[in-house]
Amino acid sequence: QSALTQPASVSGSPGQSITISCTGTSSDVGGYNYVSWYQQHPGKTPKLIIYDVSDRPSGVSSRFSGSKSVNTASLTISGLQAEDEADYYCNSYTRDNTYVFGTGTKVSVL
Amino acid sequence: EVQLLESGGGLVQPGGSLRLSCAASGFTFGTYAMTWVRQAPGKGLDWVSGIRGNGDSTYYADSVRGRFIVSRDNFKNTLYLQMNSLTADDTAIYYCARMKGESFHRNWFAPWGQGTLVSVSS
């Protein structure tokens, strides 16, 4: 199972919106509405921020939102803040009854 | 409060074996599927293995199938990962994570433990 494709880095200024893409195939992202997103600050453990494509766990800021079109899922961070600087990973359930992560995206706040 | 605490990591020679443990507390362990995810130094997340809440179904990434065995003891509230025939490519921090509900399928991972480092080197 090949990793889902994410841009290596995305940057934005405080207050701006940025979008991170996560491209897979019809065997994973395109075949199921079970895409989740994780935020990982340096030296910290990953944290779930989006599940089932667009749902947010309790306690996660509404500035984070998710969507999907065909084989590509997207994470949008609105009103970018310094604390959003982190690595972000998408994950999808697959046809093989396994899970696959994205390659990861480093978000920088300029 | 849900807590997951991994242990058992360390330095092992290529070809060697290691067993990781993940001690769970703060929830009814046997009613949740669990998973292992690893992260090589400076690299991304890599899904490794998972197990259903009652332990009767297990799942593996192709890269570890046949070498790793996931299991659980619902009386001890502990998840295990037996790792055999280790290579340098298995060097990583290994995290355990809880899944939503008893089923492994169509799920997500939260929360995560702090991880335990496995280093494979001669």
Side-chain angles (χ1 to χ4, degrees), chain A residues 30-86:
Chain A
Y32 304 92
N33 287 325
Y34 299 109
V35 175
S36 52
W37 289 88
Y38 301 85
Q39 176 192 58
Q40 186 179 33
H41 287 106
K44 301 297 186 180
T45 196
K47 174 189 174 184
L48 176 71
I49 56 172
I50 293 288
Y51 65 94
D52 292 354
V53 174
S54 59
D55 290 338
R56 269 190 320 275
S58 173
V60 172
S61 172
S62 59
R63 298 184 299 102
F64 294 94
S65 62
S67 62
K68 192 188 83 166
S69 176
V70 193
N71 295 335
T72 298
S74 298
L75 173 71
T76 297
I77 309 175
S78 305
L80 197 63
Q81 300 180 359
E83 66 201 50
D84 300 330
E85 194 160 280

Side-chain angles (χ1 to χ4, degrees), chain A residues 1 32 34 36 38 40 43-48 51-52 89 91 93 96-103, chain B residues 37 39 43-47 59-62 65 95 99-100 104-110 112-114:
Chain A
Q1 182 72 47
Y32 304 92
Y34 299 109
S36 52
Y38 301 85
Q40 186 179 33
K44 301 297 186 180
T45 196
K47 174 189 174 184
L48 176 71
Y51 65 94
D52 292 354
Y89 296 91
N91 178 275
Y93 182 69
D96 299 326
N97 296 329
T98 61
Y99 291 87
V100 61
F101 279 98
T103 50
Chain B
V37 176
Q39 186 170 33
K43 303 297 184 182
L45 300 175
D46 181 31
W47 179 78
Y59 307 86
Y60 300 94
D62 289 345
R65 185 176 291 113
Y95 297 99
M99 303 177 81
K100 174 205 72 173
F104 169 80
H105 302 289
R106 301 171 175 80
N107 220 313
W108 62 83
F109 314 140
W112 298 51
Q114 291 302 306

Side-chain angles (χ1 to χ4, degrees), chain B:
Chain B
E1 178 190 5
V2 174
Q3 289 194 333
L4 300 170
L5 183 61
E6 302 93 336
S7 62
L11 177 63
V12 60
Q13 291 188 337
S17 298
L18 212 55
R19 188 176 85 154
L20 306 183
S21 299
C22 169
S25 61
F27 64 101
T28 306
F29 182 67
T31 63
Y32 287 88
M34 298 292 293
T35 196
W36 288 98
V37 176
R38 66 185 179 183
Q39 186 170 33
K43 303 297 184 182
L45 300 175
D46 181 31
W47 179 78
V48 172
S49 180
I51 185 168
R52 189 179 172 184
N54 64 7
D56 69 354
S57 297
T58 57
Y59 307 86
Y60 300 94
D62 289 345
S63 58
V64 307
R65 185 176 291 113
R67 300 188 300 123
F68 289 11
I69 300 172
V70 62
S71 63
R72 63 193 299 160
D73 184 331
N74 287 346
F75 293 102
K76 295 183 177 180
N77 291 343
T78 303
L79 174 72
Y80 302 101
L81 185 67
Q82 176 67 43
M83 304 185 297
N84 302 320
S85 302
L86 287 163
T87 72
D89 288 342
D90 297 315
T91 294
I93 296 173
Y94 284 74
Y95 297 99
C96 66
R98 192 184 75 172
M99 303 177 81
K100 174 205 72 173
E102 200 269 344
S103 174
F104 169 80
H105 302 289
R106 301 171 175 80
N107 220 313
W108 62 83
F109 314 140
W112 298 51
Q114 291 302 306
T116 186
L117 177 62
V118 172
S119 296
V120 184
S121 175
S122 55

